[in-house]
Structure formats: C-alpha cells, structure tokens
Amino acid sequence: MPEASEAAAAVQGLPTATVVLKPKRARPFFGRHPWVLDSAVAKVEGQPADGDVVDLATHDGHFVARGLWNSQSRMRVRLYAFDASTKLDAELWHARLASALALRKTLGLDERAGATRLVNSEGDDLSGLIVDRYGEYLAVQVTALAMAVRLDTLCDALESLVAPRGILLRGAERGLAKLEGLSLVDRVVRGAAPVGPIFVHEHGLKFGVDLAEGQKTGYYLDQRENRQAAARYARGRRVLDMFCYSGGFAVACAVSGGARSVLAVDTSAKAAALARANAELNGAANVTVEAVDAFEKLDALAAAGERFGMVILDPPKFARSRSTVDDALRAYHRINRVAVGLLEPGGILVTCSCSGSVSRDDFLQMLSGVAQRSARPIQLLECRGAAADHPVSASCLEGEYLTCVIARVP
Ligand code: SAH
C-alpha cells in the first residue's frame, strides 16, 4: 500500500497491516481477550507505525480481531473489535465513551459534584484508558501508547459528552509507562486546572481532592462502597484506619458510622494533612491523624496493649508481579496478624489487597493462616471488590485487583 493511502486508512480506522499469530495461539482472542503478547506473534505483514490499526489473523489467514499496534511493548497489539466491519475511528471511540457514561448513569453516578470512574480501561472496552471525574474536572490516565496517540480525539469526545471545565492528564505509573514506551507528562490538556483542591461528594460526605499532586488520579474511587460498608459496623467503636490516605475510611466511620473515635495513620505527611482537612470538613472532631509508618505503629500499639473495636488495613500494592506474590502474602499475613491481636472480642477487621496478582483465594487462604497462627476464629462477613464504576471485563479478568474482606473476630 502506498504511503498516502496508509495515512488515509489510519484516519478511517482501517488496518494498515496484518499481525499473524503462531499456530494454536488464537484461542484467547476468539474469547475476546484484548492483549496480544509478542510471544504469540509469528510475523507482521506490512509496516505498521506504533498506534496504527492492525488486523489480527490466524496462522492460516483467518480474521480474528482488530486492534492497535505497539512495537515498543511486549503487548504488541491491544484489541478493540472482534469483527472485521468495525472501524477503529473517532466514531467508535465516541460510542465507547458514550456507553461507559451510560453505565455510570445506570449506577446513579452521574452527579456533577460527584467523584466517579467514568472509564475503566478493559472493563469499558477501552484498554489503556482511565478517566475519572472529580466534580467539574476530568483526570485522564493513559496506560497504552495507542491511546496516547489518540488523546486529542478522545478529549474531543469527552468534551462533547461531559463538558468538563478542564481535562488533566496524569501519567501512568512509571514502570507501566516504560513498558509501553510512553513519555507523557502531567499537564492540563483541555480547559483549565482547578485552583487548589476541589471538593467532591461521596455518600453525603465531602472530600477535598488534590488533582495535581494527589495519589492515583487524586483519590481512591475504587473503595467508595467499601468505605460505606465498613462504616456500617463502626457504631460506638474505637477505630484504627491504617494506610488512611485522605481519610476516606476514617471520615466515613466517624461521621456516617458513628464511631466513638478514629485513629488514622499514613506515612505520607501530605496524605495525613489531607485526612485531617477532610475530617475537619465533615465536622469529625474525634478523628486523630498521625503521619507515621504503619508497620511500626502496628507493632507499637500491640506492644502497648492497645485495643480497638475495628481495624482497617488498606495498604499499597504489596505484589508488583507474579514473582513477588509469596513475599506479598507474607507481608499481608504479618499486618493482619497484628491487626487481629489488636481487636477486642467481637471486633471487626476490614482488610484489603489491591495487588492484582494476589488472587481472592490466596488472600482468603492468608486469612485462614492468620486465624490458625493467632488461635482466634475469623468470621468472614463480606468479601467485596471495587465499586461498580470499575467494571471488569469477563474476557480480561486481569482487571480484577481489589479485595476487601470484612470479618469479625469473636
Ligand atoms: N484507604 C485509603 C487509600 C489507601 S492507599 C482511601 O480509602 O482513600 C495506601 C496508602 O498507604 C497511601 O496513602 C500511602 O501513602 C500509604 N502508605 C504506604 N506505605 C506506608 C507505610 N509504610 N506506612 C503507612 N502508610 C503507608
């Protein structure tokens, strides 16, 4: 194909090349799995530029799916359509975004002052794109080169569908960006950035979110429903919120839940300041926040013989990859064992893992181990995941990463 028509094909969302799979490697893609790794690829017919539309074919030439090419990533192709008639053009991205927004509307999460994940990558058939709404602003996180190349088109669609005051780009985690060959810098891509923190609503509570400097895209939206679920057990209890970030669990337990008092801990001074501000914003005078290391604090509280009616553990990702799962499980075991020791009889443990490579089963087995070693029964009450505005594709279960177990220790 001559160069000019290749460019035209790209604009029209049609393939410029065909990626041919090795024999017997097509099955996951007939099952709509969106990630084609280099190890499955036999050859490339054509010379696609990174971000170009390509077709995926079986070794004997049958169409499998349509996706976007990235020579710099082990994930050579990300798939976005499974029939040969779908063009990967502006119209398609617009339609996918509209469908994602329709889901949030179904969930009742389309309030303008709310904080919601509007697009959850594979879970919304938009592999490599995350869009969070914080009131009038959108925070966009791009984790695939193919989406970075189309950032303008995607922002056009978001502007026409949501009409935000500003769209902010937040870079992917450093490791991820390197794997994709991405070099995006955080910046305002449309409109204006908010001046200072913005305030969002969550279940009748207000939270200040620092869009420019905060962790993730500014806030942990995935735990929204789990914070409320935890709060339902908090009445009258002395609560310990470990790894509190901006104080989501602490404030929910104190205000919605009616906890007697809350001690919240985060090693980051910035996070602790946010948590203090959020407690104050919601009139929670019984929340104390300490900027100290949670592991040391847990040991110190245990050594001092302190007791709590509820302990919340929401640590950062312990396992970065499959090879570190065993170490991660040992670390989960250690903090959960100390937490169980801190609970008074009938106390509630809220324990989370956001390590995608630690399965829910592994996490529950870890809790069995804690029950055995601490010689205390653990009653599992609720086993929860991320909020419903973080949908997971049944064809890409790798998107499932968050476990939140609520348990009672008699
Ligand atoms: N529960 C929070 C999210 C927690 S994210 C919410 O609902 O919003 C994990 C937090 O752990 C981060 O804020 C991070 O700063 C903190 N953290 C990481 N290592 C830590 C350590 N060693 N001690 C205490 N906090 C730590």
Side-chain angles (χ1 to χ4, degrees):
M1 209 191 277
E3 229 173 75
S5 65
E6 263 183 46
V11 171
Q12 290 160 9
L14 292 168
T16 58
T18 299
V19 174
V20 181
L21 290 164
K22 292 178 182 166
K24 298 201 175 110
R25 298 300 287 271
R27 216 162 132 191
F29 314 114
F30 284 127
R32 303 177 77 91
H33 198 283
W35 302 340
V36 184
L37 298 184
D38 57 353
S39 54
V41 174
K43 63 177 175 186
V44 181
E45 291 168 352
Q47 290 182 317
D50 288 340
D52 272 2
V53 178
V54 294
D55 272 355
L56 186 70
T58 58
H59 71 287
D60 51 358
H62 294 288
F63 174 89
V64 180
R66 186 161 287 167
L68 300 174
W69 171 254
N70 184 0
S71 67
Q72 297 175 63
S73 172
R74 270 196 61 219
M75 208 180 280
R76 286 293 150 85
V77 186
R78 287 178 191 254
L79 300 174
Y80 297 89
F82 296 87
D83 62 280
S85 60
T86 302
K87 294 181 197 165
L88 306 191
D89 58 5
E91 210 179 308
L92 180 80
W93 309 123
H94 191 282
R96 293 272 161 96
L97 290 169
S99 165
L101 290 169
L103 165 63
R104 278 64 188 182
K105 194 168 174 168
T106 301
L107 297 170
L109 290 170
D110 54 346
E111 192 203 343
R112 277 197 89 81
T116 307
R117 174 146 299 186
L118 296 182
V119 179
N120 195 39
S121 201
E122 287 80 11
D124 284 298
D125 281 337
L126 285 165
S127 180
L129 182 71
I130 285 168
V131 181
D132 290 336
R133 155 185 255 159
Y134 295 106
E136 303 276 353
Y137 296 89
L138 300 184
V140 170
Q141 217 179 355
V142 169
T143 56
L145 190 120
M147 290 288 113
V149 170
R150 287 164 178 77
L151 190 59
D152 248 353
T153 308
L154 295 165
C155 287
D156 285 347
L158 285 169
E159 282 200 311
S160 81
L161 289 163
V162 188
R165 272 204 202 162
I167 302 181
L168 284 76
L169 182 68
R170 292 293 308 265
E173 281 175 48
R174 231 174 304 148
L176 259 180
K178 209 169 146 211
L179 289 176
E180 277 285 312
L182 270 171
S183 57
L184 292 171
V185 279
D186 290 9
R187 63 180 197 278
V188 181
V189 281
R190 294 289 166 93
V195 183
I198 60 164
F199 297 95
V200 295
H201 294 268
E202 175 180 303
H203 291 299
L205 303 170
K206 259 197 282 178
F207 289 95
V209 177
D210 183 348
L211 272 188
E213 305 239 320
Q215 298 180 18
K216 278 218 176 177
T217 62
Y219 190 63
Y220 288 85
L221 296 168
D222 50 357
Q223 292 279 32
R224 182 197 311 109
E225 309 306 324
N226 298 334
R227 291 189 275 262
Q228 277 303 297
R232 288 197 279 273
Y233 298 89
R235 186 148 307 275
R237 295 182 190 266
R238 182 186 185 206
V239 176
L240 177 64
D241 177 10
M242 277 294 172
F243 310 94
C244 68
Y245 186 50
S246 54
F249 279 100
V251 172
C253 288
V255 181
S256 317
R260 176 153 51 92
S261 66
V262 183
L263 173 59
V265 172
D266 199 289
T267 186
S268 148
K270 257 192 195 157
L274 275 172
R276 271 185 212 111
N278 283 328
E280 201 174 317
L281 189 64
N282 291 279
N286 57 349
V287 175
T288 310
V289 186
E290 287 185 29
V292 292
D293 180 85
F295 302 93
E296 287 173 17
K297 186 69 187 180
L298 279 169
D299 289 342
L301 289 166
E306 299 271 357
R307 287 293 175 270
F308 293 85
M310 180 179 218
V311 177
I312 299 156
L313 298 175
D314 185 17
K317 213 190 271 182
F318 282 165
R320 295 258 150 216
S321 65
R322 293 249 162 90
S323 60
T324 55
V325 167
D326 287 343
D327 287 345
L329 284 169
R330 268 190 289 278
Y332 285 122
H333 180 98
R334 190 172 105 64
I335 57 170
N336 278 279
R337 200 166 157 199
V338 182
V340 164
L342 288 173
L343 283 172
E344 57 201 25
I348 299 290
L349 175 68
V350 178
T351 180
C352 311
S353 158
C354 59
S355 309
S357 33
V358 171
S359 70
R360 199 158 283 186
D361 255 16
D362 284 344
F363 195 68
L364 292 172
Q365 287 297 337
M366 177 280 297
L367 284 176
S368 297
V370 170
Q372 185 188 346
R373 296 292 290 274
S374 57
R376 286 184 75 180
I378 297 179
Q379 295 173 297
L380 304 177
L381 307 180
E382 299 185 34
C383 188
R384 311 174 55 96
D389 53 338
H390 295 62
V392 176
S393 163
S395 312
C396 184
L397 295 174
E398 290 88 340
E400 182 87 58
Y401 66 95
L402 184 68
T403 300
C404 171
V405 173
I406 304 182
R408 181 171 173 270
V409 181

XYZ file of all heavy atoms in Angstrom, residues 202 207 215-216 219-224 227 241-250 265-269 271-272 290-297 312-318 352 354, ligand 1:
386
model
N -19.430 12.233 48.400
C -19.472 10.768 48.431
C -20.397 10.359 49.563
O -20.084 10.581 50.733
C -18.051 10.220 48.646
C -18.018 8.715 48.820
C -16.611 8.167 49.024
O -15.750 8.400 48.174
O -16.382 7.505 50.060
N -15.244 15.480 50.356
C -13.803 15.236 50.401
C -13.062 16.212 49.507
O -13.487 16.463 48.373
C -13.477 13.802 49.959
C -13.891 12.771 50.960
C -15.113 12.118 50.847
C -13.080 12.474 52.040
C -15.512 11.179 51.792
C -13.470 11.541 52.994
C -14.684 10.887 52.867
N -2.360 11.105 45.012
C -2.025 9.754 44.554
C -3.082 9.287 43.554
O -4.193 9.782 43.534
C -2.010 8.798 45.739
C -0.969 9.148 46.785
C -0.988 8.170 47.942
O -1.519 7.068 47.846
N -0.389 8.577 49.045
N -2.732 8.256 42.788
C -3.611 7.768 41.717
C -4.035 8.971 40.876
O -3.217 9.796 40.536
C -4.832 7.046 42.300
C -4.549 5.610 42.673
C -5.749 4.780 42.338
C -5.520 3.309 42.591
N -6.694 2.516 42.326
N -7.560 10.360 44.197
C -8.456 9.838 45.225
C -8.645 8.351 44.948
O -8.468 7.907 43.815
C -9.786 10.591 45.081
C -10.787 10.376 46.175
C -10.518 10.750 47.475
C -12.026 9.799 45.896
C -11.454 10.560 48.472
C -12.969 9.611 46.884
C -12.672 10.001 48.175
O -13.606 9.811 49.159
N -9.049 7.592 45.979
C -9.263 6.163 45.763
C -10.759 5.893 45.562
O -11.488 5.581 46.501
C -8.674 5.349 46.920
C -7.168 5.368 46.863
C -6.444 6.407 47.423
C -6.480 4.387 46.162
C -5.066 6.458 47.325
C -5.095 4.426 46.053
C -4.401 5.466 46.635
O -3.036 5.508 46.520
N -11.188 6.063 44.315
C -12.600 5.886 43.982
C -13.033 4.433 44.148
O -14.196 4.157 44.444
C -12.827 6.277 42.517
C -12.580 7.738 42.160
C -12.563 7.916 40.657
C -13.664 8.593 42.785
N -12.089 3.516 43.936
C -12.441 2.088 43.957
C -12.983 1.639 45.309
O -13.743 0.689 45.403
C -11.245 1.220 43.527
C -9.959 1.552 44.272
O -9.944 2.495 45.095
O -8.947 0.864 44.020
N -12.602 2.339 46.388
C -13.015 1.933 47.733
C -14.309 2.631 48.194
O -14.706 2.472 49.352
C -11.892 2.270 48.736
C -10.622 1.436 48.560
C -10.755 0.077 49.221
O -11.847 -0.506 49.300
N -9.641 -0.456 49.686
N -14.943 3.391 47.314
C -16.106 4.195 47.738
C -17.131 3.363 48.516
O -17.498 3.701 49.636
C -16.782 4.825 46.518
C -17.968 5.708 46.890
C -18.895 6.011 45.709
N -18.179 6.468 44.553
C -18.007 5.752 43.440
N -18.535 4.549 43.348
N -17.326 6.219 42.422
N -15.907 1.844 51.853
C -15.865 2.776 52.992
C -17.229 2.819 53.678
O -17.327 2.796 54.905
C -15.460 4.172 52.500
C -14.013 4.245 52.048
C -13.573 5.670 51.781
N -13.908 6.132 50.442
C -13.046 6.141 49.407
N -11.810 5.706 49.562
N -13.420 6.581 48.229
N -7.628 3.236 61.471
C -7.598 3.232 59.995
C -6.144 3.314 59.540
O -5.537 4.383 59.527
C -8.417 4.432 59.473
C -8.386 4.548 57.940
O -7.901 3.611 57.274
O -8.850 5.585 57.408
N -5.606 2.150 59.162
C -4.201 2.084 58.764
C -4.064 2.321 57.257
O -4.813 1.734 56.489
C -3.648 0.690 59.071
C -3.221 0.546 60.501
S -1.814 1.631 60.776
C -1.645 1.475 62.537
N -3.090 3.095 56.852
C -2.885 3.470 55.439
C -4.094 4.303 54.980
O -4.810 3.935 54.062
C -2.734 2.219 54.546
C -1.728 1.211 55.035
C -2.111 0.137 55.833
C -0.387 1.345 54.702
C -1.190 -0.792 56.284
C 0.550 0.409 55.149
C 0.149 -0.665 55.942
N -4.308 5.415 55.656
C -5.595 6.127 55.519
C -5.680 7.033 54.297
O -6.758 7.490 53.932
C -5.862 6.945 56.766
S -4.720 8.349 56.973
N -4.550 7.382 53.659
C -4.505 8.385 52.586
C -5.315 9.624 52.983
O -5.030 10.243 53.990
C -4.955 7.800 51.241
C -4.762 8.814 50.120
C -3.552 9.480 49.961
C -5.803 9.134 49.249
C -3.379 10.438 48.978
C -5.630 10.088 48.250
C -4.424 10.741 48.133
O -4.264 11.688 47.163
N -6.349 10.000 52.209
C -7.031 11.252 52.534
C -8.155 11.062 53.550
O -9.001 11.939 53.724
C -7.529 11.945 51.264
O -8.323 11.071 50.504
N -8.153 9.903 54.224
C -9.062 9.718 55.354
C -10.439 9.204 55.006
O -11.373 9.328 55.799
N -10.587 8.583 53.838
C -11.898 8.106 53.392
C -12.579 7.184 54.389
O -13.728 7.428 54.796
N -11.894 6.123 54.810
C -12.498 5.186 55.770
C -12.707 5.875 57.124
O -13.746 5.705 57.761
C -11.600 3.953 55.961
C -11.748 2.912 54.886
C -10.836 2.820 53.842
C -12.790 1.991 54.924
C -10.964 1.854 52.849
C -12.926 1.011 53.945
C -12.010 0.945 52.899
N -11.721 6.640 57.533
C -11.782 7.291 58.854
C -12.999 8.200 58.956
O -13.777 8.125 59.921
C -10.488 8.082 59.096
N -3.743 6.562 60.223
C -2.285 6.561 60.078
C -1.884 6.471 58.613
O -2.415 5.647 57.859
C -1.683 5.343 60.843
C -0.197 5.193 60.543
C -1.918 5.483 62.344
N -0.974 7.336 58.204
C -0.379 7.220 56.861
C 1.040 7.770 56.953
O 1.292 8.764 57.628
C -1.173 8.008 55.818
C -0.870 7.545 54.394
O 0.254 7.810 53.896
O -1.737 6.897 53.773
N 1.956 7.127 56.263
C 3.348 7.543 56.351
C 3.601 8.869 55.632
O 4.547 9.583 55.947
C 4.267 6.442 55.758
O 5.618 6.820 55.993
C 4.067 6.286 54.280
N 2.731 9.198 54.682
C 2.921 10.427 53.913
C 2.344 11.630 54.661
O 1.165 11.638 55.036
C 2.257 10.260 52.537
O 1.763 11.493 52.079
N 3.190 12.632 54.868
C 2.736 13.823 55.596
C 1.646 14.541 54.807
O 0.697 15.084 55.381
C 3.911 14.762 55.850
N -0.563 13.117 52.776
C -1.799 12.348 52.944
C -2.407 12.655 54.304
O -3.618 12.893 54.416
C -1.515 10.857 52.796
N -1.579 12.671 55.332
C -2.086 12.922 56.684
C -2.737 14.305 56.759
O -3.797 14.469 57.379
C -0.956 12.799 57.703
N -2.126 10.512 62.332
C -0.676 10.524 62.585
C 0.077 10.194 61.306
O -0.259 9.228 60.615
C -0.320 9.491 63.658
C -0.744 9.909 65.051
C -0.263 8.913 66.108
O 0.776 8.251 65.911
O -0.971 8.786 67.129
N 1.088 10.995 61.008
C 1.927 10.726 59.836
C 3.119 9.881 60.275
O 4.202 10.396 60.544
C 2.388 12.040 59.220
N 2.892 8.583 60.391
C 3.972 7.663 60.804
C 3.884 6.379 59.989
O 2.888 6.132 59.295
C 3.882 7.320 62.317
C 4.203 8.539 63.167
C 2.514 6.765 62.676
N 4.909 5.554 60.093
C 4.938 4.285 59.384
C 3.939 3.307 60.011
O 3.947 3.091 61.232
C 6.354 3.710 59.452
C 6.448 2.389 58.734
O 6.650 2.397 57.509
O 6.281 1.329 59.392
N 3.092 2.728 59.173
C 2.022 1.862 59.684
C 2.560 0.575 60.310
O 2.006 0.084 61.299
C 1.045 1.532 58.563
N 3.624 0.041 59.737
C 4.159 -1.226 60.262
C 4.697 -1.015 61.676
O 4.434 -1.796 62.596
C 5.251 -1.768 59.339
C 4.771 -2.000 57.936
C 4.901 -1.012 56.961
C 4.153 -3.193 57.591
C 4.437 -1.216 55.672
C 3.688 -3.412 56.295
C 3.829 -2.413 55.339
N 5.439 0.098 61.848
C 5.975 0.414 63.180
C 4.851 0.743 64.144
O 4.875 0.341 65.306
C 6.942 1.597 63.090
C 8.253 1.203 62.428
C 9.168 2.396 62.160
O 8.945 3.463 62.765
O 10.087 2.239 61.337
N 3.862 1.468 63.658
C 2.746 1.869 64.525
C 1.965 0.645 65.003
O 1.593 0.548 66.172
C 1.824 2.838 63.773
C 0.713 3.435 64.598
C 1.250 4.407 65.631
C 0.156 4.888 66.577
N 0.677 5.831 67.585
N -8.878 -1.225 60.237
C -8.948 -1.190 58.770
C -7.526 -1.224 58.228
O -6.681 -0.433 58.656
C -9.647 0.106 58.298
C -11.082 0.154 58.844
C -9.640 0.209 56.769
C -11.645 1.551 58.954
N -7.275 -2.151 57.314
C -5.948 -2.236 56.676
C -6.126 -2.067 55.171
O -6.746 -2.901 54.524
C -5.313 -3.609 56.927
C -5.016 -4.024 58.365
C -4.507 -5.468 58.378
C -3.992 -3.089 59.002
N -5.620 -0.970 54.631
C -5.729 -0.733 53.176
C -4.355 -0.341 52.630
O -4.153 0.781 52.164
C -6.772 0.369 52.911
C -7.031 0.571 51.417
O -6.677 -0.323 50.621
O -7.587 1.623 51.049
N -3.413 -1.298 52.681
C -2.029 -0.958 52.312
C -1.861 -0.773 50.810
O -2.728 -1.164 50.037
C -1.242 -2.187 52.785
C -2.217 -3.314 52.713
C -3.562 -2.712 53.061
N -0.737 -0.168 50.402
C -0.443 -0.075 48.967
C -0.183 -1.472 48.408
O -0.074 -2.444 49.158
C 0.828 0.776 48.923
C 1.456 0.610 50.265
C 0.331 0.401 51.231
N -0.078 -1.549 47.109
C 0.156 -2.827 46.430
C 1.425 -3.489 46.991
O 2.491 -2.895 46.952
C 0.373 -2.518 44.944
C -0.115 -3.573 44.002
C 0.362 -3.272 42.605
C -0.604 -2.387 41.853
N -0.123 -2.150 40.463
N 1.298 -4.709 47.520
C 2.489 -5.411 48.018
C 3.138 -6.233 46.911
O 4.332 -6.459 46.932
C 2.124 -6.330 49.188
C 1.935 -5.618 50.510
C 1.314 -6.264 51.577
C 2.378 -4.316 50.695
C 1.139 -5.625 52.802
C 2.211 -3.665 51.914
C 1.587 -4.327 52.967
N -7.805 -5.206 53.184
C -7.841 -5.048 51.731
C -6.527 -5.458 51.086
O -5.462 -5.385 51.700
C -8.090 -3.585 51.365
S -9.475 -2.845 52.250
N -4.860 -4.595 47.130
C -5.031 -4.067 45.774
C -3.947 -4.617 44.862
O -3.619 -4.032 43.838
C -5.047 -2.541 45.789
S -3.571 -1.812 46.473
N -7.630 3.887 52.432
C -7.299 4.958 51.537
C -6.364 4.538 50.423
C -5.042 3.988 50.913
S -3.824 3.888 49.695
C -8.608 5.531 50.962
O -9.679 4.947 51.157
O -8.547 6.589 50.325
C -2.427 3.364 50.561
C -1.781 4.413 51.443
O -0.717 3.781 52.156
C -1.140 5.580 50.713
O -1.746 6.771 51.146
C 0.333 5.563 51.162
O 0.861 6.867 51.437
C 0.261 4.759 52.421
N 1.495 4.068 52.812
C 2.395 3.442 52.049
N 3.359 2.873 52.800
C 3.044 3.136 54.096
C 3.635 2.823 55.345
N 4.736 2.093 55.414
N 3.029 3.255 56.468
C 1.877 3.987 56.398
N 1.289 4.315 55.231
C 1.847 3.901 54.105
